[in-house]
Amino acid sequence: MGCQLSALSFENPEAEGIYRLIRDKYTSLCKEQPRLKNRAFLSMIGRELSGKHNLDQLLQLNLSSFPLPPIGMQTLHEVLKVPTGIVSLILSRAGLSDTDAELLSCSIKTSATLRDIDLSENGIGPVGFQHLATSLSHNQCINRVMLNYNPGRSEGIACMAHALHTNQTLIHLGLSCTQAGDQGACHLAAGLQNNRQLRYLELSENQIGLEGGQQMAVALRYNTSILRLLLETNPIQDKQLVQIGLALQRNLAAGEIVDLLFEGAYQQAMGKNVIMDESVAQKSQLYWLPGKKARGGHPLPPPPGAPPAPPAPGPA
């Protein structure tokens, strides 16, 4: 049935132990539901775990781009309910549905070891987002959740925003291209006002416009934790981008550099207050240029902790 243990070579004993656990859970489920048997799943697990040579490699179970069969998700659900060495689980492009997300959320809710989960580029909709958000409201271990390119829509984003009110461990949340829209952005803005842990938020390609941009700018007046906010390919007005950018600069620790991906809109909106040399532009890093004036002639002093401006170029 799939990979035989004798045919695999494990250099990491802990990886072998996890494979045995997965194989046993899979075998048990096949006895209960023989029609769900899928040899490719166990073979994939065997190849992934037998390639682990040290503890650092074992931390991640990468099943990206492998269409996960129903018995595969059920097996992972059973395995994640018990303590393992799996800290990072990557299931991007695995063909996951709302039903899969519901099953996975039950594991996330009680997991004490999982820190990072990537579910990007699947078919998880508002119902799946709701289940995952509920699990994040209970789980106080997970630091990073990636849900980019899933059709969560504003209803699903609202559930994620609600989870931000109670979750105190999430640092990185990916919600790009989830059909959030202005309504979803407004829900997130409300959640950010009460969250002091989230550092990185991805919201690119979400059709966030005037209303959503305004609410995000208002939220960042009160939120002091967000350091990086991706808003690429959203029709947000320059005024809101300026306000958001200033808030992010304020939040930066001393010596850190603002990293915004607004396709140049932020730089244009700030006029001469932000300059970018060639090497900086390649890294999308924005430097504050003190002493200049914004539109309307009003001086804008650098925010607390802003990095120093690069030296002015000398004469040719």
Side-chain angles (χ1 to χ4, degrees):
M1 183 184 300
C3 288
Q4 296 298 321
L5 192 60
S6 59
L8 297 171
S9 176
F10 289 93
E11 295 186 27
N12 189 312
E14 193 170 356
E16 182 176 347
I18 292 177
Y19 176 77
R20 287 179 181 272
L21 176 62
I22 292 176
R23 184 195 60 181
D24 292 346
K25 295 290 186 183
Y26 169 82
T27 302
S28 177
L29 287 170
C30 283
K31 290 179 179 178
E32 298 173 5
Q33 306 174 71
R35 62 183 180 83
L36 294 180
K37 184 185 299 184
N38 187 295
R39 296 176 183 274
F41 168 71
L42 202 59
S43 297
M44 174 67 177
I45 293 292
R47 289 193 299 270
E48 169 69 7
L49 290 176
S50 62
K52 306 298 183 183
H53 304 301
N54 55 56
L55 185 59
D56 290 338
Q57 288 182 311
L58 179 60
L59 297 179
Q60 184 182 92
L61 181 60
N62 188 347
L63 300 179
S64 176
S65 302
F66 177 73
L68 207 62
I71 196 168
M73 181 54 71
Q74 291 182 33
T75 302
L76 290 178
H77 167 63
E78 294 294 329
V79 169
L80 292 173
K81 289 195 298 185
V82 300
T84 66
I86 301 173
V87 174
S88 175
L89 180 62
I90 300 180
L91 295 174
S92 56
R93 300 184 299 278
L96 304 185
S97 65
D98 284 345
T99 302
D100 297 318
E102 179 180 5
L103 193 58
L104 189 58
S105 68
C106 296
S107 308
I108 294 174
K109 186 182 296 185
T110 57
S111 174
T113 57
L114 203 58
R115 297 290 184 273
D116 172 28
I117 184 164
D118 188 345
L119 304 176
S120 300
E121 298 182 62
N122 283 293
I124 302 173
V127 174
F129 271 59
Q130 180 181 2
H131 289 298
L132 292 168
T134 300
S135 68
L136 291 175
S137 297
H138 292 83
N139 182 288
Q140 296 301 320
C141 296
I142 289 185
N143 303 131
R144 178 176 177 266
V145 174
M146 304 301 288
L147 286 165
N148 298 322
Y149 295 92
N150 280 286
R153 301 203 297 271
S154 61
E155 307 96 290
I157 301 301
C159 297
M160 284 293 161
H162 183 73
L164 293 178
H165 287 280
T166 55
N167 184 284
Q168 296 301 315
T169 60
L170 196 61
I171 295 174
H172 189 159
L173 180 60
L175 295 173
S176 290
C177 201
T178 52
Q179 303 175 20
D182 277 334
Q183 190 174 357
C186 290
H187 287 305
L188 282 172
L192 288 177
Q193 291 192 38
N194 298 297
N195 184 282
R196 295 295 179 268
Q197 188 65 28
L198 196 67
R199 297 290 184 270
Y200 308 103
L201 178 61
E202 301 182 22
L203 288 174
S204 300
E205 301 179 60
N206 269 307
Q207 286 301 306
I208 299 171
L210 176 62
E211 183 182 3
Q214 286 177 336
Q215 292 304 312
M216 292 299 293
V218 170
L220 290 176
R221 294 178 190 171
Y222 305 97
N223 180 288
T224 57
S225 64
I226 291 288
L227 300 179
R228 189 177 188 219
L229 177 60
L230 300 192
L231 291 168
E232 188 177 16
T233 322
N234 281 296
I236 299 176
Q237 293 188 354
D238 288 354
K239 180 179 179 181
Q240 279 74 54
L241 293 179
V242 170
Q243 294 171 346
I244 291 170
L246 290 174
L248 293 178
Q249 290 199 37
R250 178 205 65 205
N251 289 352
L252 289 172
E256 291 192 86
I257 299 171
V258 179
D259 185 5
L260 302 174
L261 300 181
F262 289 146
E263 295 185 319
Y266 178 83
Q267 297 94 305
Q268 295 172 11
M270 289 299 294
K272 293 184 179 181
N273 279 290
V274 172
I275 65 171
M276 299 179 69
D277 62 29
E278 183 177 354
S279 62
V280 173
Q282 291 175 355
K283 299 179 181 179
S284 300
Q285 293 176 334
L286 309 184
Y287 284 81
W288 184 266
L289 181 62
K292 299 294 182 180
K293 295 181 180 181
R295 292 176 181 178
H298 301 292
L300 288 173

